[in-house]
Amino acid sequence: MEIHVYDTYVKAHDNHVMHFDVFTASKDSEQAIQYAKQWLSSIGESDAVVSSKECRFCHTQQAPANVIDTINRQGYFIYKMEGCPA
């Protein structure tokens, strides 16, 4: 399965920057932004600003099985990088 990767940088409520990728099955920027907002809300960061400026399409790649399983279950996968909660 090919996935589409959206590189995302947002400011948390304490002003530190969180860097994460949103992986989706469809190349749809608006949907990726909604998925980013949904995930941010789930970690208590519902006030974080996410727009096409913060969440941008990066590339398309093949996905490993665990990512495919998560995308099939919830529609997206968050790949956490700098500043994200464990």
Side-chain angles (χ1 to χ4, degrees), residues 35-68:
Y35 288 144
K37 289 179 179 180
Q38 183 178 347
W39 179 72
L40 288 163
S41 181
S42 78
I43 63 165
E45 294 288 348
S46 57
D47 292 335
V49 174
V50 184
S51 70
S52 59
K53 181 180 175 187
E54 292 82 19
C55 183
R56 295 182 180 191
F57 175 75
C58 184
H59 65 276
T60 300
Q61 68 182 49
Q62 290 296 319
N66 67 313
V67 170
I68 293 168

Side-chain angles (χ1 to χ4, degrees), residues 3-84:
I3 57 165
H4 307 284
V5 178
Y6 291 83
D7 197 30
T8 309
Y9 292 85
V10 299
K11 277 194 179 178
H13 66 275
D14 66 359
N15 259 357
H16 84 275
V17 175
M18 291 187 291
H19 178 203
F20 59 93
D21 286 343
V22 180
F23 295 170
T24 66
S26 62
K27 190 176 175 184
D28 182 339
S29 296
E30 286 303 314
Q31 186 64 61
I33 291 167
Q34 291 307 311
Y35 288 144
K37 289 179 179 180
Q38 183 178 347
W39 179 72
L40 288 163
S41 181
S42 78
I43 63 165
E45 294 288 348
S46 57
D47 292 335
V49 174
V50 184
S51 70
S52 59
K53 181 180 175 187
E54 292 82 19
C55 183
R56 295 182 180 191
F57 175 75
C58 184
H59 65 276
T60 300
Q61 68 182 49
Q62 290 296 319
N66 67 313
V67 170
I68 293 168
D69 291 344
T70 301
I71 290 173
N72 286 336
R73 267 194 334 276
Q74 68 185 25
Y76 67 95
F77 181 92
I78 300 296
Y79 182 76
K80 301 174 198 174
M81 289 180 272
E82 297 94 11
C84 296

